Amino acid sequence: MAATKTRDSAQLRAWREMSAAHARVADALERELQREHELSLAEYEVLQRLAETDDGHLRMQELAEVSPLSASALSRLLGRLERAGLAEREICDDDRRGIYACLTDDGRAVERAAAPTFRATLARTLGS
């Protein structure tokens, strides 16, 4: 019983440390991206995911799978990016039920401009 309790305590400590580190990094990224680029961390992450693809397109379903946001929250976020001219939605030609999230030229420019801020803040916060 004592070995299990010790292991559980070590796991709980590790979880708490990881959770605190994540919160610290996410808060720093949120502040810097807002201050420098008027982007939330979630908005930047969607732009970044789209920019990482060859053609700047990703099915909404695929984007939802890699996002911590619910499907409805992701849809609202994409709506904000659309209104800002940074992304748009397109119907998938080969599957009319599918919808793509697409990076616009302005969205690509914003992602590129924000990337150094993201990387520098990440390095500074992680102590690299």
Side-chain angles (χ1 to χ4, degrees):
M1 180 76 166
T4 301
K5 188 172 183 174
T6 301
R7 184 179 67 240
D8 289 350
S9 295
Q11 289 172 342
L12 184 57
R13 266 193 318 278
W15 166 250
R16 286 180 178 160
E17 289 171 11
M18 184 182 73
S19 181
H22 177 269
R24 195 170 45 254
V25 171
D27 286 348
L29 289 167
E30 184 75 37
R31 276 191 316 275
E32 290 300 310
L33 288 167
Q34 268 303 336
R35 186 171 64 82
E36 296 291 327
H37 307 283
E38 297 181 0
L39 284 175
S40 70
L41 177 56
E43 290 166 338
Y44 176 75
E45 287 178 330
V46 167
L47 294 176
Q48 184 182 52
R49 291 287 184 165
L50 294 173
E52 290 172 347
T53 66
D54 290 336
D55 58 3
H57 291 65
L58 203 55
R59 278 181 171 259
M60 285 292 290
Q61 181 179 348
E62 292 175 74
L63 193 54
E65 289 172 3
V66 297
S67 172
L69 301 174
S70 68
S72 62
L74 179 59
S75 184
R76 287 190 303 273
L77 184 143
L78 193 60
R80 288 193 306 273
L81 293 175
E82 284 180 297
R83 287 188 294 281
L86 305 179
E88 56 193 19
R89 292 177 229 219
E90 291 179 4
I91 300 293
C92 179
D93 288 335
D94 57 327
D95 177 5
R96 304 291 296 165
R97 295 171 297 163
I99 298 174
Y100 283 106
C102 307
L103 192 62
T104 64
D105 290 342
D106 286 347
R108 189 173 301 281
V110 166
E111 188 278 332
R112 283 184 181 149
T117 301
F118 178 85
R119 287 191 303 270
T121 303
L122 191 60
R124 185 175 59 254
T125 308
L126 292 175
S128 300

